[in-house]
Amino acid sequence: MANVTDNGSPFNRGIQHEAKHSAILSRAAKLFNTKGARSTTLSDVADKLGLTKTSLYYYVKTKEDLIYQCYDAAMRQAHSTLDQIEATTDDPLERVLLFMEEHISTILKALSGHGDYYAAPLEFASLKDEHREALIAQYLRMFMRIRAYIRDGIDMSVIRPCHSTATTRALIGALDWSFYWLYEMPREDAVLAGAALRDIVKHGLFTPDAHYRPNDHVLSAEGVVPAKGFDREAQNRLKQEAFFKAGTRFFNRKGFNGTSLDEIAEHLQVSKGAFYYHFTNKEALLTQCYEHSLDLTDAIYNDIRNSTMSAPQKLDTACRQVFHIQNSDLGPLIRYNTITALPPPIRRRVLVRTQAASNNLGEFIREGQETGKFRSVDAAIMQNMLEGAVNAAMDISDWRRVDDIDQTAIEYFDVFYFGLAKPAN
């Protein structure tokens, strides 16, 4: 006999189980985004849902399993969004714009209590191999779907010629930190973010008659490289710089929990005792990696802010200089996938400094708008998009061939300056 039970019935155990499972993943995702996956306990999740840990174990086996399921849900949601977009329109430009818009909309629905939270993919690196590899495969498939839209749009002459891989990486990177700045933004401004982002991605920052082309300039290391010397203080500083660079690279690639002091010491060919001479523990090194990265960007922004360059030159030079550090022996800069490993007081201090540094970009944008070089887009949204893209720029050579760092930077930021849409003749 056929099963005639209504699939939507409150007595359908499968529906109830799935609803509870979704609620657990949504609540866990919210905690992960604010507190960090590794800092969140199963008890934290159970308490927020009014469950016992025993009840929670019915849905997830371990915290590793919960983290994986949350990230997997986020990836599946992204692909579901792309499926819906592909069913809605054949226009490749519109597909890209809708994906960007829907990402913002999903976050805003969660913040307003009308949708589920999805975990920002901050801690892929610390997962065990099988989980990490499965998630990376889903991420790469998402990346290739969006890149295919851009390539199709170029072929159909609805998207400007651009480096499709660099552009896709920049656009996805621009969304990476959106869960944070949307939360911090006044709600009346946040609800306009999707439309503002669509306008920026479609038409770019520059006015149609600006005719701006990136200046040819040598990316200099002056002002951001430690002074060399033979005195003990200088030598200690050089050793600390080496620890900062090695630590940052390992933290970026493996996360806080996945990074071991033994690996860092072996990489630098020093003893662990040499590490403890400079840092009390791994957390202290992570803190100093953040401070060091911010010192580097502050040096760049301060020099540019005090220069006589035009606003477009200031913004362009700032982005390219930071990109250069991210992808040369001067860096990399710390990626914010480890921010939740910092103790709350230190995390707040780092975020305050980060916002102050990012505000330089907003200052350059507003200056360009006042002089008529930039369109009257939402400067705060533009600033946050660039900040996300800069943060995601590390190891661009993993994504595309890099023959010239500066030319790669120009191609990477091009979409934010000139948009995707092919201008009308």
Side-chain angles (χ1 to χ4, degrees), residues 4 15 22 44 65 69 150 169 206 320 331 348 350 361 398-399:
V4 295
I15 294 293
S22 295
D44 291 334
D65 183 40
Q69 286 192 42
I150 293 175
R169 181 67 180 151
F206 280 91
R320 286 158 72 184
R348 284 192 293 272
V350 167
L361 300 180
D398 288 350
W399 296 87

Side-chain angles (χ1 to χ4, degrees), residues 244-246 248-249 296 324-333:
F244 294 151
K245 290 179 181 180
T248 296
R249 188 162 293 281
L296 292 176
H324 181 59
I325 293 180
Q326 283 282 54
N327 293 283
S328 72
D329 291 339
L330 295 175
L333 301 173

Side-chain angles (χ1 to χ4, degrees), residues 154-329:
I154 294 171
D155 290 342
M156 296 167 61
S157 294
V158 296
I159 289 179
R160 288 188 312 107
C162 61
H163 194 291
S164 60
T165 298
T167 299
T168 305
R169 181 67 180 151
L171 289 176
I172 294 176
L175 296 176
D176 278 354
W177 201 233
S178 53
F179 76 94
Y180 171 76
W181 56 258
L182 282 171
Y183 178 82
E184 293 292 317
M185 185 175 286
R187 198 47 39 88
E188 61 271 19
D189 295 332
V191 296
L192 304 175
L197 187 145
R198 164 184 274 268
D199 178 51
I200 290 167
V201 174
K202 186 174 184 178
H203 299 296
L205 181 58
F206 280 91
T207 59
D209 59 349
H211 303 300
Y212 179 79
R213 291 296 177 267
N215 286 350
D216 292 327
H217 61 79
V218 176
L219 292 177
S220 170
E222 289 184 27
V224 295
V225 178
K228 291 181 172 60
F230 296 98
D231 60 275
R232 186 167 184 172
E233 183 179 346
Q235 288 300 313
N236 281 338
R237 185 178 175 189
L238 288 173
K239 290 174 183 177
Q240 287 179 334
E241 291 280 342
F243 275 114
F244 294 151
K245 290 179 181 180
T248 296
R249 188 162 293 281
F250 276 99
F251 288 139
N252 286 347
R253 287 187 173 275
K254 295 192 171 186
F256 181 76
N257 287 76
T259 295
S260 76
L261 298 183
D262 289 329
E263 282 183 305
I264 295 174
E266 183 179 349
H267 174 79
L268 293 173
Q269 297 182 322
V270 299
S271 67
K272 283 181 72 174
F275 172 89
Y276 287 116
Y277 178 80
H278 296 282
F279 309 97
T280 54
N281 51 38
K282 188 169 67 169
E283 185 181 276
L285 174 61
L286 178 64
T287 300
Q288 288 301 306
C289 285
Y290 273 96
E291 297 288 357
H292 178 64
S293 291
L294 286 164
D295 287 344
L296 292 176
T297 53
D298 282 348
I300 290 174
Y301 293 150
N302 288 338
D303 284 348
I304 291 172
R305 192 174 62 247
N306 296 325
S307 74
T308 58
M309 289 187 284
S310 68
Q313 288 172 331
K314 288 178 180 178
L315 184 67
D316 180 40
T317 302
C319 290
R320 286 158 72 184
Q321 288 277 12
V322 177
F323 185 96
H324 181 59
I325 293 180
Q326 283 282 54
N327 293 283
S328 72
D329 291 339

Side-chain angles (χ1 to χ4, degrees), residues 347-365:
R347 188 190 318 164
R348 284 192 293 272
R349 187 181 75 213
V350 167
L351 288 172
V352 167
R353 279 198 68 188
T354 301
Q355 187 61 52
S358 175
N359 287 343
N360 285 286
L361 300 180
E363 179 184 320
F364 302 152
I365 292 165

